[in-house]
Structure formats: structure tokens, C-alpha cells
Amino acid sequence: MSIAQNLQHITEQLPAGIKLVAVSKFHPVERIMEAYDAGQRIFGENRAQELAAKAPQMPTDIEWHFIGHLQKNKVRMIMPWVSTIQSIDSTQLLQLVDKEAARIDRHVDVLLQLHVAKEQTKSGFAVDEILEAAENGAFNNLSNVTITGVMAMATFTDDMDQVASEFELVHNTFRTLREKYFASNPAFKEISMGMSDDWPVAVKHGATLVRIGTDIFGQREY
Ligand SMILES: *Cc1c(COP(=O)(O)O)cnc(C)c1O
């Protein structure tokens, strides 16, 4: 199937109001343009250099989401291009992103990444860590950043009960954060979770943004 057909197939199944991030990492600009021409406007990349190389070649009405682990020395590289950084995994990174956004007079949305998977290689705040950071005021007093929600990845497994319980934990943590710490911030409303293999489970457990690569663009060649 073509990229346009893949996109159509997915958007037909996505409930209304749930946004699709087309994860274009490792795919060339020509393939991304196929998705763009089919109407897709939100794209996700997980490597700073790759995003900074592709974005200037693409139409300016694209919303670029950064979804990978972001090293502090790469923040400046992506800042002119991103609309959302989904993968804020420390309070230090958050502070730096706010500072760099202010430096170039931009505003960015960010999601706080939660670590709920079994793999230690995945990054993000543990649930108790994020609650503690919120309690300590780490998410207040930002000038050029709006925290719009949380992001997470489930364990890479066929066990969909495991995946479902991790997504449920994300949902519950989001609710706690919203009620206790973000009640006065109506922008705090997004839950980004679900990839090609598990997005229907994620949607069932409250996802508002899904991040799909393989099911749109095919296998990546690393
Ligand atoms: C690559 C990636 C995806 C997309 O994965 P697919 O299985 O190809 O749909 C989603 N989220 C993150 C953070 C990724 O790195």
C-alpha cells in the first residue's frame, strides 16, 4: 500500500479528536512529502541532526515534534524548528529548553516523558519522581514553554495486558498531575502514547496523540 493509503487506513480507525504524529525518522524527505501531500501535518523525529536537516527542506506549516532522548548540547540545534518536544525527561532539560526558547524568542510546547516500561534503556521520569518534581514546583515559572501533557512508551512485548496496565498507569499519573498541579493550566490535556504495534490499546486507555511510523512509512532501514 502507498503512504497515502496507509495514512487513510489509520485515520479511518482513529477516533475523532485523536491526533496522529507521523514518525518519519530514517525516512527521506521525498517519502515525508508523500505523507504531507496526503494531508498529514504533524511529524515526529527522534534525532536532533536529522530533524534539523529535514525541517528546512519541508513546508513551513508542518508541526515538528521531537520524540527522542534529547541531549542538552542538541537543544539549540532543534529549537528553531520544533513546535513540541515530547521527550522532556529531567527538570534540568526543561529549564534549558525554556532558556533556549527565550533566547531566540520562540514558544514551544512540551510533554513530560514518563518511564513506565520494563526496559531500563528507555528514559523519562519515574512516577514518584514526576510527582515529587511537581510538588517541588519544578513545572512552574516557565516563560517560553507550555507543558501540555505527558508522553510514554510501553514495554516492547507481545503481552498486551502488560502494555495496557502501563498505559493505564500513564493515564492515572496524568490525572493526578492535572488535578493537583495543573488545574489552572487548561493546556495540560495531552497523553502521547501508542505506536504501530500498540496504538489501539493506547487509545482505549486515554491517548490523545499517537505516534506511528512503521504502519505509515514501512520498515526503517537503520
Ligand atoms: C520510532 C518511534 C515511534 C514509532 O514507532 P513505530 O513502531 O515505527 O510506529 C514512536 N515513538 C517513539 C518515541 C519512537 O522513537
Side-chain angles (χ1 to χ4, degrees), residues 6 11 26 33 54 66-67 79 90 98 118 134 152 163 217:
N6 291 340
T11 47
F26 292 90
M33 276 309 295
K54 286 172 174 175
F66 192 79
I67 62 172
M79 194 50 72
S90 72
D98 191 36
K118 292 280 171 275
V163 169
F217 295 104

Short mmCIF file of all heavy atoms in Angstrom, two decimals, residues 6 11 26 33 54 66-67 79 90 98 118 134 152 163 217:
data_model
loop_
_atom_site.label_atom_id
_atom_site.label_comp_id
_atom_site.label_asym_id
_atom_site.label_seq_id
_atom_site.Cartn_x
_atom_site.Cartn_y
_atom_site.Cartn_z
N ASN A 6 -1.91 4.06 3.55
CA ASN A 6 -1.64 3.71 4.95
C ASN A 6 -2.22 4.75 5.89
O ASN A 6 -2.83 4.43 6.91
CB ASN A 6 -0.13 3.59 5.19
CG ASN A 6 0.48 2.39 4.51
OD1 ASN A 6 -0.22 1.44 4.16
ND2 ASN A 6 1.79 2.43 4.30
N THR A 11 -6.21 6.79 9.82
CA THR A 11 -7.08 7.88 10.26
C THR A 11 -8.56 7.45 10.28
O THR A 11 -9.33 7.94 11.09
CB THR A 11 -6.91 9.16 9.41
OG1 THR A 11 -6.91 8.81 8.04
CG2 THR A 11 -5.60 9.85 9.72
N PHE A 26 14.43 8.28 9.92
CA PHE A 26 15.11 7.39 8.98
C PHE A 26 14.50 7.39 7.58
O PHE A 26 14.99 6.70 6.70
CB PHE A 26 15.22 5.94 9.50
CG PHE A 26 16.12 5.81 10.68
CD1 PHE A 26 15.64 5.96 11.98
CD2 PHE A 26 17.48 5.57 10.50
CE1 PHE A 26 16.48 5.85 13.08
CE2 PHE A 26 18.34 5.47 11.60
CZ PHE A 26 17.83 5.61 12.89
N MET A 33 7.23 13.91 2.10
CA MET A 33 6.38 14.75 1.26
C MET A 33 5.15 13.99 0.75
O MET A 33 4.10 14.59 0.53
CB MET A 33 7.17 15.32 0.07
CG MET A 33 7.96 16.60 0.39
SD MET A 33 7.00 17.91 1.20
CE MET A 33 5.82 18.34 -0.09
N LYS A 54 16.20 17.94 7.96
CA LYS A 54 14.99 17.76 7.15
C LYS A 54 14.06 18.97 7.19
O LYS A 54 13.50 19.36 6.16
CB LYS A 54 14.21 16.54 7.65
CG LYS A 54 14.81 15.21 7.30
CD LYS A 54 14.02 14.12 8.03
CE LYS A 54 14.46 12.71 7.64
NZ LYS A 54 13.75 11.71 8.46
N PHE A 66 9.61 16.64 18.49
CA PHE A 66 10.81 15.87 18.82
C PHE A 66 10.41 14.80 19.83
O PHE A 66 9.80 15.10 20.86
CB PHE A 66 11.91 16.77 19.38
CG PHE A 66 13.22 16.04 19.45
CD1 PHE A 66 13.99 15.88 18.31
CD2 PHE A 66 13.66 15.47 20.64
CE1 PHE A 66 15.18 15.16 18.35
CE2 PHE A 66 14.85 14.76 20.69
CZ PHE A 66 15.61 14.60 19.54
N ILE A 67 10.75 13.54 19.54
CA ILE A 67 10.24 12.43 20.36
C ILE A 67 11.34 11.54 20.94
O ILE A 67 11.05 10.54 21.59
CB ILE A 67 9.25 11.54 19.55
CG1 ILE A 67 9.95 10.90 18.35
CG2 ILE A 67 8.04 12.34 19.09
CD1 ILE A 67 9.09 9.85 17.62
N MET A 79 15.79 23.87 18.32
CA MET A 79 14.86 24.89 18.82
C MET A 79 14.20 25.74 17.73
O MET A 79 13.02 26.08 17.85
CB MET A 79 15.61 25.78 19.83
CG MET A 79 14.72 26.64 20.66
SD MET A 79 13.37 25.73 21.44
CE MET A 79 14.25 24.81 22.68
N SER A 90 13.92 15.35 32.25
CA SER A 90 14.51 15.84 33.50
C SER A 90 14.14 17.31 33.69
O SER A 90 13.81 18.01 32.71
CB SER A 90 16.03 15.69 33.48
OG SER A 90 16.60 16.63 32.59
N ASP A 98 13.49 25.96 28.14
CA ASP A 98 12.84 27.25 28.38
C ASP A 98 13.81 28.41 28.08
O ASP A 98 13.46 29.38 27.41
CB ASP A 98 12.36 27.31 29.83
CG ASP A 98 11.44 28.49 30.09
OD1 ASP A 98 10.63 28.83 29.19
OD2 ASP A 98 11.51 29.07 31.19
N LYS A 118 9.39 -1.69 31.26
CA LYS A 118 10.35 -2.52 31.99
C LYS A 118 11.79 -2.24 31.56
O LYS A 118 12.71 -2.39 32.35
CB LYS A 118 10.03 -4.01 31.77
CG LYS A 118 8.73 -4.45 32.42
CD LYS A 118 8.89 -4.70 33.91
CE LYS A 118 7.57 -4.93 34.60
NZ LYS A 118 6.90 -3.67 35.00
N ALA A 134 6.86 17.88 40.66
CA ALA A 134 5.70 18.77 40.62
C ALA A 134 5.49 19.42 41.98
O ALA A 134 5.26 20.63 42.09
CB ALA A 134 4.45 18.00 40.19
N ALA A 152 4.64 8.68 26.87
CA ALA A 152 5.24 7.45 27.38
C ALA A 152 5.32 6.39 26.30
O ALA A 152 4.61 6.46 25.28
CB ALA A 152 4.46 6.91 28.57
N VAL A 163 1.11 -4.18 28.45
CA VAL A 163 1.07 -2.88 27.78
C VAL A 163 -0.11 -2.05 28.28
O VAL A 163 0.04 -0.87 28.61
CB VAL A 163 1.01 -3.08 26.24
CG1 VAL A 163 0.69 -1.78 25.52
CG2 VAL A 163 2.31 -3.69 25.74
N PHE A 217 5.04 4.46 6.99
CA PHE A 217 6.16 4.57 6.04
C PHE A 217 6.81 3.22 5.70
O PHE A 217 7.69 3.15 4.84
CB PHE A 217 7.25 5.49 6.61
CG PHE A 217 6.82 6.92 6.77
CD1 PHE A 217 6.50 7.43 8.02
CD2 PHE A 217 6.70 7.76 5.66
CE1 PHE A 217 6.11 8.77 8.18
CE2 PHE A 217 6.30 9.08 5.80
CZ PHE A 217 6.00 9.58 7.06
#
